[in-house]
Amino acid sequence: MKGAQRVIALRSTFVWAGGSGSSVYPTSAHAMSENIFGPTDAVNLKSQMSACSNGKFTMEPATPTSVTLSASGVLDVTVNDDISNSSGERTTYEKAIIAAGSAGLKFSDFDLLMVFLPPGSDQFGSSDWLAFAGLGAWWSVYNSGLDSSVSTQMHEVMHNYGVKHSGEAGNEYGDQSGTMGYSYMIDEGPLMCFNGAKSYYLDWYTTEEVVFAAFGDERSLQLTGIDDDAVASFPAITVVKLPIDDDPLGAGYFIMYNKKAGVNDGTSEGANQVLIT
């Protein structure tokens, strides 16, 4: 998974019929752009994705010609509709996307669309929700204030590229060694990347598949942390896959040294340990 991805952040305002009420996204377009793309904001979606991938996979603000952006990578839209989701109505994020299309935004203008909804947005029958995304889709959706949560944005955007949750002990979000477990309401971090299974799939690092010929067979390998992968001066491997025999889906066990340093300094579980996922 490599290359530059063109991203548009959709900053939405809802104004209900007759002007009886409204809900405005609280972060300005300029501040949202900084939170997602920088450069003044030290840790953001663009910087952390680039750092985790050694510059191989980047989130760049899109530059569409069909609409006028309010700030770099940020499009403001006004939805003339109630922010609630009554039975039979479109969801609030669908309303925002339709409004963007009505303003002239085209699918050819972007690779990813991040939809940010203002306070009171009703999803799943409640306004108490965080974020979600379509697996393998082009859209992700965020509740008010999450334009400053780097881990939430990384988590949801990676769903768009087919990356699923990292669970542990029956908890779908339980693996806290990387960003596909729980997310955090923190602006400048935590600095984390992805666990061994996800890292092997993403193909950003030096990896190796090891097949043992027989029981008792041994192999000596030197593992390096994510932060060292691009600068290691010795033959080192970041992720090792032990395939499961005859599995038609290519399943296996993934071994990685979860070094707590640099781009992965905020890992919340298994720091400086060799982990198997």
Side-chain angles (χ1 to χ4, degrees), residues 35-36 44-49 59 114 150 153-154 157:
N35 285 338
I36 299 171
N44 53 73
L45 174 65
K46 177 180 176 178
S47 68
Q48 188 65 3
M49 289 297 287
M59 302 282 124
M114 303 173 71
V150 178
Q153 294 166 31
M154 290 181 67
V157 162

Side-chain angles (χ1 to χ4, degrees), residues 251-268:
Y253 297 100
F254 300 87
I255 304 173
M256 186 172 77
Y257 173 45
N258 189 36
K259 184 177 180 180
K260 182 180 173 65
V263 68
N264 199 50
D265 190 58
T267 183
S268 300

Side-chain angles (χ1 to χ4, degrees), residues 16-40:
W16 15 118
S20 58
S22 65
S23 184
V24 180
Y25 198 88
T27 307
S28 71
H30 175 75
M32 178 179 286
S33 177
E34 283 288 339
N35 285 338
I36 299 171
F37 305 111
T40 304

Side-chain angles (χ1 to χ4, degrees), residues 162-205:
V163 181
K164 298 181 180 180
H165 290 146
S166 295
E168 184 178 286
N171 183 338
E172 185 178 2
Y173 303 90
D175 182 355
Q176 294 179 270
S177 66
T179 60
M180 296 313 293
Y182 288 110
S183 297
Y184 304 86
M185 295 295 290
I186 302 172
D187 186 359
E188 303 302 314
L191 298 177
M192 292 196 299
C193 294
F194 303 92
N195 70 13
K198 269 59 175 180
S199 293
Y200 189 90
Y201 168 78
L202 293 170
D203 192 27
W204 294 336
Y205 315 112

Side-chain angles (χ1 to χ4, degrees), residues 82-87 90-93 117-132 141-144 146:
D82 195 325
I83 202 168
S84 66
N85 286 330
S86 300
S87 178
R90 293 185 183 275
T91 62
T92 48
Y93 82 88
L117 298 174
S121 301
D122 186 5
Q123 300 291 338
F124 317 113
S126 170
S127 60
D128 185 19
W129 58 279
L130 293 176
F132 59 94
V141 185
Y142 308 83
N143 207 345
S144 180
L146 286 170

